[in-house]
Amino acid sequence: MAKSRKKEWLFIDTLKYTRVEEKDEHLAWELAKKYTDKDFSFTDCLSFTVMSRLDCRKAFAFDQHFRQMGFEVFP
């Protein structure tokens, strides 16, 4: 992506930057331990945890992991 296009992301009103909290990390590890039959990464589990905390039910994702956890997936 061109340098000028990257900066456009900073000004999109619909995006919200959210920091991970310590409790999110602990809950993500618990999720990873619970779903050993899945190939979720820690990043997946952390995303699930933060999205749940924020009551965010839609994910922009290209793999099946978010759908497996009950999120609505785009594209």
Side-chain angles (χ1 to χ4, degrees), residues 4-52:
S4 63
R5 300 271 306 161
K6 286 182 184 178
K7 289 184 179 183
E8 288 178 23
W9 281 88
L10 299 174
F11 303 105
I12 296 175
D13 292 336
T14 58
L15 295 179
K16 179 180 176 184
Y17 179 81
T18 301
R19 291 193 180 273
V20 171
E21 298 177 1
E22 188 174 344
K23 67 180 178 180
D24 296 326
E25 294 176 0
H26 293 291
L27 290 170
W29 280 120
E30 293 302 316
L31 268 181
K33 289 190 288 186
K34 180 178 179 179
Y35 292 101
T36 57
D37 61 321
K38 308 286 185 193
D39 63 341
F40 297 153
S41 67
F42 179 71
T43 302
D44 286 337
C45 292
L46 193 55
S47 296
F48 303 152
T49 301
V50 172
M51 290 173 69
S52 294

Side-chain angles (χ1 to χ4, degrees), residues 62-73:
F62 293 101
D63 61 37
Q64 74 282 4
H65 299 148
F66 288 86
R67 188 171 284 111
Q68 289 172 344
M69 288 301 290
F71 294 94
E72 185 177 353
V73 178

